[in-house]
Amino acid sequence: MLPKPTKLAYSLLSEAKLRRILRELGISSKGDKHQMQVRHVEWVNMYMANADSETPVSHRVLLRRLSAWEDALYRQSETTKTAAPSTPEGIAQHASKYADSFAELVAQAGSSRSRQPSKKPV
């Protein structure tokens, strides 16, 4: 049985130290520091929930659940990514594509603003 994991002060840990802690727990240490931090936080939550469970599962099952959670998280982030333009050409193309819609929204905002009665400061 592995020792009970604890919450860590991630900002004080180096990436190498966090990687070593994950390896000691049998958790994947791939990815950058933020990914490892998210993985460790989820591990602590799973471990504590398992400890409180009426029917706790083995360490191996928890590791499989953590892996499945991370796979689902990765799949979800891949499907929800937006194709926001990041290059100057992409930004210009996006601006020209939606220029008419933007002009229409600006006109609508201007017309609704002119219809509202002006509020006097109290």
Side-chain angles (χ1 to χ4, degrees), residues 33 42 57 78 84-85 89-90 122:
K33 185 175 180 180
E42 184 62 23
V57 296
E78 285 296 313
E89 297 83 21
V122 179

Side-chain angles (χ1 to χ4, degrees), residues 32-83:
D32 62 13
K33 185 175 180 180
H34 180 261
Q35 290 172 320
M36 290 188 291
Q37 177 183 337
V38 169
R39 190 177 302 124
H40 184 263
V41 167
E42 184 62 23
W43 171 255
V44 170
N45 289 337
M46 284 183 165
Y47 185 95
M48 297 302 184
N50 186 55
D52 291 340
S53 174
E54 291 181 10
T55 55
V57 296
S58 70
H59 180 76
R60 184 176 299 160
V61 171
L62 281 180
L63 287 174
R64 271 189 259 139
R65 288 180 182 174
L66 180 67
S67 179
W69 168 83
E70 192 169 12
D71 290 344
L73 185 67
Y74 178 73
R75 280 193 308 273
Q76 178 185 10
S77 69
E78 285 296 313
T79 59
T80 59
K81 280 186 180 175
T82 59

Side-chain angles (χ1 to χ4, degrees), residues 79-106:
T79 59
T80 59
K81 280 186 180 175
T82 59
S86 58
T87 62
E89 297 83 21
I91 293 169
Q93 186 179 22
H94 180 82
S96 66
K97 181 178 179 181
Y98 295 104
D100 294 338
S101 297
F102 181 72
E104 184 179 327
L105 287 172
V106 169

Side-chain angles (χ1 to χ4, degrees), residues 14-29:
S14 68
E15 188 172 327
K17 175 79 171 167
L18 181 56
R19 200 174 296 279
R20 187 175 60 74
I21 291 169
L22 291 178
R23 275 193 228 115
E24 289 172 359
L25 292 170
I27 302 170
S28 170
S29 61

